[in-house]
Amino acid sequence: MKWSFSTRLALTAGGLTALTILLMTGILFILVTGFIWNIYRQSGEALTIMAHTNMRYGLELPDRALEHIAEQMTVAALLTAEFVAVAEEDGTLTPEEIRARLARVIERSRATSGEPLVDEFWITDEAGNAYLHTEPYSFDFRREGTQQSDAFLPLLEGHTGPIVQPMQPRAIDDEPFLYVGVPGVDKDRIVQLGLSGAHAQDIAADFSIQELVDNFVLDMDAARIVVMDEGGQVLFEAVHPESELESAMDLELSRFLTSYLLRFRAADCDPGFAAEIRRFGADVGVVTPIHLPRSDQALGLFIQHRTARAFQLLETVYRYMIFIGSVMVVLAVWGAFHLSRRLSQPITELAASVRRFGEGDLDHRVSPQADKEFQGLAYAFNSMAQSLQSYTTELQRETARRERLESELRIGAEVQQSLLPERPPEMPGIELRGFSQQASQVGGDFYDYLEESPTLISVCIGDATGHGLSSALLVSECWSVLRAYAAESPSPAELLRRTNKALCKRVGRSGRFVTLFAMAIDLERRQLRYSVAGHNPPFFLRPGNGAIEDLSSRKGLPLGIMPDCEYEDRMLDILPGDLIFCYSDGLTEALCPENRLYSEERLRELLRAQAAAPLDDLIAAIRADVDVHINGREHTDDITMVALRIGEQP
């Protein structure tokens, strides 16, 4: 008797018994796991909260240590003032002998303790001139006019209390120093003692929270401990030597802590225990905020408690459950095996055919099946295989074409990127920053710096018609010609004239052209000479008056249109603080979703507001404002910016 497919399918119900047993085993495992997880969740939260107070107190210790160092330096400064007064009143020691004895105090302190509380002395006269000092530098507190010297001038004007200046770079060499100053005993003078940042940090390191974290990770049986600030900076971290973690910080934990601190700050939580718990593998991770009393910044304390041993016990229980369930599954499946074997045979043959097809044998077809139920499936599979084989062949050809095109575009982008300066030149008396963003993989904007001497530099910015591969090729042509004639051209106008003539010969009557702005800055003569070839006039800002001047020209067509076009040189005197901002039209013509231009007027207003900002911040502010304007819309043209600020005469 030959059974039908539906009859044989009914006989496989025995397999459902096995699935039911496995399902019940899994549910029981989840319940037990949840119970153990809840126990360790509560204990982990309690342990983290206990560690919170110790961590909070430990974070204050380095600052308190620096305060005590400053107090001891004040005592040493008072003693130094008395010593200098007595030595000068007695008259037996010359200033050089006094200086030598002060230097000897420092050397003996270093030899005795290794970390002295004083690294240098500065003793001034009534005028503020340091005539006794252990450093090989001369310093005048009234004439230097720095933040450091101005802080101690009240000691020359009757101020009697000590002045402590926090750790900051000192004026003579930008090395971090902690300074304490007291007035003179016999007359108005400054008695100042300095301690280097390295020595101060070495002393404060004895009170470091890192040692506390290293001990906690062992005593609390924690897998790792991390302290992070709101900016995502890891301040302290420790990993248990027996844990399987290679590093205390990974991407998952970084996202978790950053998200927690942002929510804590946004909710304006009171300084307390707003713990949050999450599972990391088999361990319980707890994070709590640390609110420092001297700062409004919140830190995140994360402790991952090791709970693997509990889950090992759970794994043992689960093995017994699996063993019992397996026995029941074998008994249930054995009864239905013989009845379902004939059902599985055609499915196995179809699966083998599918596997061969998946391994790349696209010519393989499924043999007709005896059962009518499987004949339709076999015919459908063969039809699908035929269609897929044709589609795969066409897709391979199309993919090869696209890969060749993308490879060419990638090479073009690398070549074009190599034309842009890697970094601005470091010249005394001038600060430069440049930025270029292409609308497509390759673009038509470029800029360059040409250092001609230690006090003379030329800057140019250009924009080729359109964007994409054709404009990138035109940029390469223009850049090579410009570089070739740069050293031989005495002025920007002559450079543009020669570049235009050569470019016209190369592009012919193709209708392509390049707008260009070139300028030469003479830092010695304090002069700016520029020439324009159809480019957007840069903006010139002079600090103080708030006015913005366009660096425009009365004549000068873009390069590549007319070979005999003339260009003019224009000259401008420059002063310290003058700002010159060059840009391409992709900036002012950026479109918002309502098709409104970004506009030159909006750029002018932003330049007025950010005129005194560092150049990196200025360019970042303009980029952010353009992104706000376009509101997610794609850029339709390349954007290039070059910002220059004139400094003091070198």
Side-chain angles (χ1 to χ4, degrees):
M1 177 179 176
K2 186 176 181 180
W3 290 340
S4 65
F5 176 76
S6 58
T7 303
R8 287 179 288 167
L9 182 61
L11 294 177
T12 60
L16 296 177
T17 305
L19 295 177
T20 303
I21 295 174
L22 291 176
L23 180 61
M24 295 297 296
T25 304
I27 293 175
L28 183 61
F29 174 74
I30 293 175
L31 292 177
V32 176
T33 303
F35 175 74
I36 296 179
W37 162 258
N38 187 57
I39 293 177
Y40 276 93
R41 176 182 179 275
Q42 296 177 359
S43 62
E45 180 179 1
L47 289 173
T48 302
I49 291 175
M50 291 174 58
H52 173 277
T53 303
N54 294 293
M55 294 292 182
R56 180 182 177 185
Y57 179 76
L59 287 170
E60 300 179 21
L61 287 179
D63 291 338
R64 293 187 178 184
L66 290 177
E67 292 177 358
H68 288 300
I69 291 173
E71 292 175 359
Q72 296 302 314
M73 290 177 63
T74 301
V75 175
L78 294 173
L79 292 174
T80 303
E82 292 289 349
F83 166 72
V84 172
V86 171
E88 291 185 348
E89 182 179 358
D90 183 60
T92 58
L93 297 177
T94 64
E96 182 61 28
E97 292 174 334
I98 297 175
R99 187 205 66 78
R101 296 199 178 192
L102 293 177
R104 189 166 59 193
V105 170
I106 296 177
E107 294 301 324
R108 293 181 65 187
S109 175
R110 289 174 179 168
T112 302
S113 64
E115 302 293 346
L117 289 181
V118 178
D119 280 320
E120 58 182 47
F121 292 91
W122 297 87
I123 315 296
T124 75
D125 55 18
E126 295 91 334
N129 180 44
Y131 70 100
L132 288 177
H133 48 84
T134 55
E135 291 294 302
Y137 306 101
S138 297
F139 197 82
D140 191 326
F141 279 75
R142 290 191 183 277
R143 295 183 60 185
E144 292 297 333
T146 63
Q147 179 183 3
Q148 186 179 81
S149 60
D150 292 345
F152 293 97
L153 289 180
L155 298 176
L156 297 175
E157 300 169 354
H159 185 79
T160 59
I163 295 177
V164 178
Q165 190 176 65
M167 187 78 64
Q168 59 180 276
R170 62 179 181 177
I172 56 179
D173 57 6
D174 289 336
E175 291 294 328
F177 262 76
L178 171 66
Y179 281 107
V180 173
V182 298
V185 177
D186 52 342
K187 58 183 177 181
D188 290 337
R189 73 168 84 210
I190 300 174
V191 179
Q192 178 180 282
L193 276 65
L195 176 65
S196 70
H199 283 160
Q201 295 301 327
D202 288 342
I203 297 173
D206 294 336
F207 307 93
S208 171
I209 190 66
Q210 185 62 49
E211 294 187 6
L212 185 62
V213 170
D214 292 337
N215 292 330
F216 268 32
V217 79
L218 298 175
D219 296 340
M220 298 180 65
D221 198 19
R224 57 181 167 182
I225 299 178
V226 176
V227 179
M228 175 188 283
D229 62 14
E230 295 179 0
Q233 180 69 30
V234 177
L235 303 181
F236 308 101
E237 60 181 1
V239 178
H240 196 284
E242 297 180 1
S243 69
E244 298 180 355
L245 298 172
E246 296 181 358
S247 173
M249 179 58 66
D250 53 33
L251 183 60
E252 180 184 6
L253 178 58
S254 176
R255 291 175 177 173
F256 173 57
L257 292 181
T258 303
S259 175
Y260 171 78
L261 289 174
L262 289 176
R263 291 196 303 273
F264 181 79
R265 173 60 64 186
D268 196 18
C269 297
D270 294 330
F273 299 114
E276 186 168 326
I277 302 173
R278 181 174 173 181
R279 185 169 178 175
F280 289 82
D283 293 336
V284 175
V286 184
V287 60
T288 58
I290 303 179
H291 192 87
L292 300 179
R294 303 186 184 185
S295 172
D296 60 351
Q297 185 183 32
L299 307 179
L301 168 63
F302 172 80
I303 300 179
Q304 181 174 327
H305 299 275
R306 301 175 66 195
T307 57
R309 283 177 290 184
F311 287 96
Q312 289 175 356
L313 176 62
L314 179 63
E315 183 180 352
T316 302
V317 175
Y318 184 63
R319 286 182 184 146
Y320 284 109
M321 294 171 59
I322 290 294
F323 174 75
I324 297 174
S326 299
V327 173
M328 297 178 67
V329 167
V330 170
L331 293 176
V333 173
W334 182 81
F337 173 75
H338 295 286
L339 296 177
S340 61
R341 185 172 57 180
R342 291 184 61 186
L343 174 65
S344 63
Q345 183 176 359
I347 297 178
T348 302
E349 294 177 359
L350 180 61
S353 299
V354 171
R355 190 178 302 110
R356 287 185 59 183
F357 190 82
E359 291 174 353
D361 188 2
L362 302 183
D363 295 325
H364 178 71
R365 298 294 182 268
V366 178
S367 302
Q369 300 294 319
D371 294 325
K372 295 182 179 180
E373 292 87 349
F374 288 98
Q375 286 180 359
L377 182 60
Y379 292 147
F381 175 82
N382 291 336
S383 177
M384 178 200 68
Q386 180 65 36
S387 300
L388 184 60
Q389 186 177 19
S390 301
Y391 174 76
T392 301
T393 303
E394 180 61 27
L395 182 61
Q396 288 175 347
R397 288 197 293 265
E398 182 63 25
T399 301
R401 288 195 296 267
R402 293 191 61 180
E403 287 179 350
R404 286 195 300 270
L405 179 58
E406 290 179 358
S407 177
E408 293 174 358
L409 288 175
R410 184 165 55 252
I411 294 173
E414 293 174 356
V415 172
Q416 185 179 20
Q417 188 65 29
S418 66
L419 301 182
L420 300 178
E422 293 184 2
R423 62 182 63 87
E426 296 182 0
M427 296 181 61
I430 188 171
E431 182 182 4
L432 302 97
R433 291 294 185 276
F435 168 80
S436 185
Q437 175 179 326
Q438 313 300 337
S440 58
Q441 193 168 5
V442 290
D445 284 5
F446 72 99
Y447 68 92
D448 202 357
Y449 310 119
L450 305 173
E451 296 182 65
E452 301 180 26
S453 73
T455 60
L456 181 62
I457 183 172
S458 296
V459 180
C460 62
I461 179 173
D463 182 5
T465 52
H467 58 274
L469 190 57
S470 61
S471 60
L473 294 175
L474 186 57
V475 164
S476 300
E477 290 280 350
C478 183
W479 181 86
S480 61
V481 174
L482 189 70
R483 275 280 182 171
Y485 291 137
E488 304 173 1
S489 302
S491 68
E494 177 64 17
L495 176 60
L496 294 185
R497 186 189 67 81
R498 301 184 66 180
T499 303
N500 173 64
K501 191 170 183 179
L503 192 62
C504 286
K505 293 181 180 179
R506 299 193 181 194
V507 301
R509 297 181 178 273
S510 62
R512 299 183 299 162
F513 59 85
V514 178
T515 66
L516 189 69
F517 175 85
M519 61 179 168
I521 301 175
D522 192 331
L523 298 175
E524 182 176 5
R525 299 180 179 178
R526 316 301 285 178
Q527 287 182 344
L528 166 67
R529 298 178 67 184
Y530 67 89
S531 186
V532 185
H535 196 78
N536 301 73
F539 294 139
F540 179 80
L541 292 80
R542 178 149 288 170
N545 56 16
I548 298 180
E549 178 183 347
D550 293 341
L551 300 183
S552 58
S553 178
R554 292 168 296 181
K555 58 182 180 178
L557 293 175
L559 307 179
I561 296 180
M562 296 177 58
D564 298 327
C565 182
E566 293 296 329
Y567 302 92
E568 67 170 343
D569 273 326
R570 305 202 71 179
M571 187 175 297
L572 187 68
D573 292 333
I574 54 176
L575 297 174
D578 288 350
L579 176 66
I580 304 167
F581 183 80
C582 310
Y583 63 97
S584 65
D585 57 3
L587 173 61
T588 55
E589 295 178 3
L591 291 174
C592 68
E594 293 78 21
N595 290 327
R596 286 184 287 103
L597 298 177
Y598 181 75
S599 75
E600 293 184 5
E601 186 57 34
R602 181 165 178 173
L603 179 58
R604 288 173 183 268
E605 293 300 325
L606 184 58
L607 287 175
R608 288 192 183 97
Q610 300 286 336
L615 297 186
D616 289 329
D617 295 345
L618 173 63
I619 291 179
I622 295 175
R623 292 177 59 190
D625 195 43
V626 172
D627 289 340
V628 170
H629 174 73
I630 64 177
N631 193 21
R633 183 171 181 174
E634 292 186 0
H635 290 282
T636 58
D637 197 2
D638 309 326
I639 294 178
T640 300
M641 296 177 280
V642 177
L644 305 89
R645 179 174 283 123
I646 306 301
E648 297 295 334
Q649 187 168 2

